[in-house]
């Protein structure tokens, strides 16, 4: 199971540590945070104790209004479960009592450097945790963002993946990763493609060598990550192996249980592979908008046949 530490959150979000400095190595394994509202009033049946606990203005205001004895009971009931940490988004004013409890129980108490709207802070923290804790694998290939569509370009070594990527970059599309692609499963329907940091911004071209696409073509040539939408497999040309049907049957590649639409593009000298990848990405986008070229073509044929039949009947 993947995990990060409380210290990682401190660095990422520049949090101030009020208590538990010696427990910043507490591990976090859950990708969603929790606001302990019901727990403060005594309901613990579904308390997710392994999640980061967020205290916003509502929670802190409620605690401030309690008597000292009642507050001691309410907070004591929660810290007893030893969550990884507490993060307060409403400022540190008046939190002496909470600091005391966290010191006693050895729980990190963190506060944002500036008061934040809790409903804005939680999505940012959730998104970070989801990415960091996501199941991931590494595959060989090139990952591109083509007209806003995340595309995997795969194939045997030397087939021309990086050269195709270079052509796409020169046409205004963006490199995400070359050689090693890190795929992260963010949800049962979502795969995120990114690089492994070492290869960030680099593209390796045979006969040319390693090149930094940002230095050569500017920031527009690269982006850090993209949602994977298409999986394209480049293969060597095989005579009579291409299909000429108007509508190709959809096939899929499974990555960590997520099925990604896939297709094969055969290579041949003079064939515009980059252009075909652009066409594939744009065609997929149109289908998501409800348009299907083959369906429109067939409807035209049917309309023409009906028209011909009607004219034939009227002439008899």
């Amino acid at each position: 199971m993947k995990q990060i530490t409380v210290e990682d959150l401190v660095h990422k979000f520049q949090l101030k540590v009020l208590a538990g400095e010696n427990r910043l190595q507490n591990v976090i394994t859950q990708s969603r945070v929790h606001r302990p509202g019901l727990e403060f009033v005594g309901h613990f049946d579904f308390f997710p104790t392994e999640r980061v606990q967020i205290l916003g203005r509502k929670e802190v205001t409620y605690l401030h209004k309690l008597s000292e004895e009642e507050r001691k009971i309410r907070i004591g009931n929660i810290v007893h479960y030893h969550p990884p940490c507490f993060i307060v988004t409403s400022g540190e004013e008046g939190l002496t009592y909470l600091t005391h409890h966290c010191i006693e129980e050895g729980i990190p108490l963190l506060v944002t450097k500036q008061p934040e709207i809790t409903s804005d802070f939680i999505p940012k923290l959730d998104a970070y945790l989801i990415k960091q804790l996501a199941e991931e694998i590494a595959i060989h290939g090139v990952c591109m963002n083509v007209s806003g569509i995340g595309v995997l370009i795969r194939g045997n070594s030397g087939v021309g993946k990086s050269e195709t990527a270079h052509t796409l970059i020169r046409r205004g599309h963006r490199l995400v990763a070359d050689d090693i692609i890190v795929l992260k499963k963010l949800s049962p329907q979502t795969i995120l493609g990114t690089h492994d940091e070492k290869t960030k911004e680099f593209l390796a071209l045979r006969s040319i060598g390693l090149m930094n696409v940002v230095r050569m073509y500017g920031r527009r040539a690269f982006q850090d990550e993209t949602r994977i939408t298409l999986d394209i497999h480049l293969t060597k040309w095989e005579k009579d192996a291409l299909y000429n049907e108007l509508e190709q049957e959809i096939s899929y590649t499974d990555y960590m249980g997520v099925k990604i639409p896939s297709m094969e593009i055969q290579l041949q000298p003079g064939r515009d592979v980059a252009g075909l990848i652009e066409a594939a990405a744009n065609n997929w986008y149109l289908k998501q908008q409800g348009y299907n070229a083959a369906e429109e073509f067939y409807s035209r044929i049917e309309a023409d046949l009906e028209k011909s039949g009607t004219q034939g009947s009227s002439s008899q």
Side-chain angles (χ1 to χ4, degrees):
M1 177 183 294
K2 295 188 66 178
Q3 60 187 32
I4 60 174
T5 67
V6 174
E7 188 173 22
D8 293 325
L9 298 187
V10 171
H11 294 318
K12 174 65 178 179
F13 295 96
Q14 298 182 329
L15 303 174
K16 182 177 180 181
V17 182
L18 299 184
E21 293 89 345
N22 61 336
R23 296 298 181 91
L24 295 182
Q25 295 307 310
N26 283 358
V27 298
I28 300 169
T29 59
Q30 298 296 312
S31 59
R32 297 285 184 181
V33 302
H34 177 67
R35 296 183 73 173
L38 289 174
E39 290 75 21
F40 276 132
V41 295
H43 295 280
F44 290 91
D45 291 345
F46 303 101
F47 183 31
T49 58
E50 296 180 350
R51 295 186 184 182
V52 173
Q53 305 297 313
I54 303 294
L55 303 179
R57 188 172 300 279
K58 290 181 181 179
E59 292 79 12
V60 171
T61 300
Y62 170 77
L63 292 174
H64 285 347
K65 290 181 178 180
L66 298 175
S67 67
E68 183 177 346
E69 186 62 28
E70 185 70 12
R71 195 160 51 218
K72 182 178 180 181
I73 294 172
R74 299 297 187 190
I75 297 174
N77 288 339
I78 290 182
V79 298
H80 169 74
Y81 288 93
H82 288 89
C85 67
F86 290 98
I87 300 178
V88 179
T89 61
S90 60
E92 59 184 287
E93 185 178 353
L95 293 180
T96 305
Y97 57 87
L98 184 57
T99 304
H100 175 72
H101 278 278
C102 288
I103 291 174
E104 280 192 341
E105 295 292 336
I107 301 172
L109 175 60
L110 316 173
V111 61
T112 55
K113 287 194 173 181
Q114 297 293 332
E116 292 203 32
I117 298 174
T118 310
S119 58
D120 290 340
F121 179 74
I122 287 178
K124 292 189 292 186
L125 181 52
D126 274 344
Y128 172 75
L129 292 174
I130 288 171
K131 287 182 182 179
Q132 295 302 311
L133 298 174
E135 178 185 356
E136 67 178 48
I137 59 173
I139 65 170
H140 177 69
V142 179
C143 181
M144 296 287 302
N145 183 282
V146 179
S147 300
I149 306 298
V151 178
L152 296 177
I153 304 174
R154 299 186 302 118
N156 294 333
S157 180
V159 77
K161 300 181 295 295
S162 297
E163 290 82 354
T164 300
H166 180 252
T167 302
L168 287 167
I169 292 169
R170 295 199 62 187
R171 293 184 179 184
H173 306 293
R174 297 176 177 180
L175 174 72
V176 176
D178 180 40
D179 190 28
I180 299 174
I181 307 170
V182 178
L183 299 180
K184 296 189 175 190
K185 181 180 179 180
L186 301 188
S187 77
Q189 299 83 31
T190 306
I191 294 289
L192 188 75
T194 186
H195 49 79
D196 69 347
E197 290 294 338
K198 297 188 294 294
T199 60
K200 180 179 180 179
E201 301 176 356
F202 288 122
L203 182 68
L205 295 176
R206 291 176 182 270
S207 303
I208 303 297
L210 201 62
M211 53 181 280
N212 186 307
V213 298
V214 172
R215 294 295 184 92
M216 291 191 68
Y217 300 112
R219 293 301 316 171
R220 66 175 181 80
F222 175 81
Q223 72 179 52
D224 210 48
E225 58 192 29
T226 188
R227 178 177 177 176
I228 301 302
T229 300
L230 286 176
D231 182 36
I232 295 178
H233 193 199
L234 303 184
T235 62
K236 292 183 178 180
W237 181 271
E238 293 183 18
K239 186 178 180 181
D240 300 325
L242 291 181
Y243 301 101
N244 291 315
E245 287 84 355
L246 297 179
E247 182 70 3
Q248 297 291 333
E249 182 178 348
I250 299 176
S251 60
Y252 297 89
T253 305
D254 187 293
Y255 293 109
M256 296 174 285
V258 181
K259 295 186 181 299
I260 303 297
S262 63
M263 65 180 62
E264 175 185 337
I265 294 180
Q266 291 193 11
L267 305 178
Q268 188 182 48
R271 200 164 195 229
D272 184 9
V273 178
L276 291 174
I277 292 175
E278 286 179 318
N282 291 327
N283 195 49
W284 179 89
Y285 176 78
L286 287 174
K287 286 184 177 180
Q288 303 313 299
Q289 302 304 305
Y291 175 77
N292 186 301
E295 289 180 359
E296 182 180 1
F297 177 76
Y298 287 131
S299 66
R300 290 182 183 182
I301 296 297
E302 290 176 359
D304 188 59
L305 290 175
E306 290 178 1
K307 183 179 179 181
S308 298
T310 301
Q311 291 177 343
S313 298
S314 61
S315 63
Q316 290 179 356

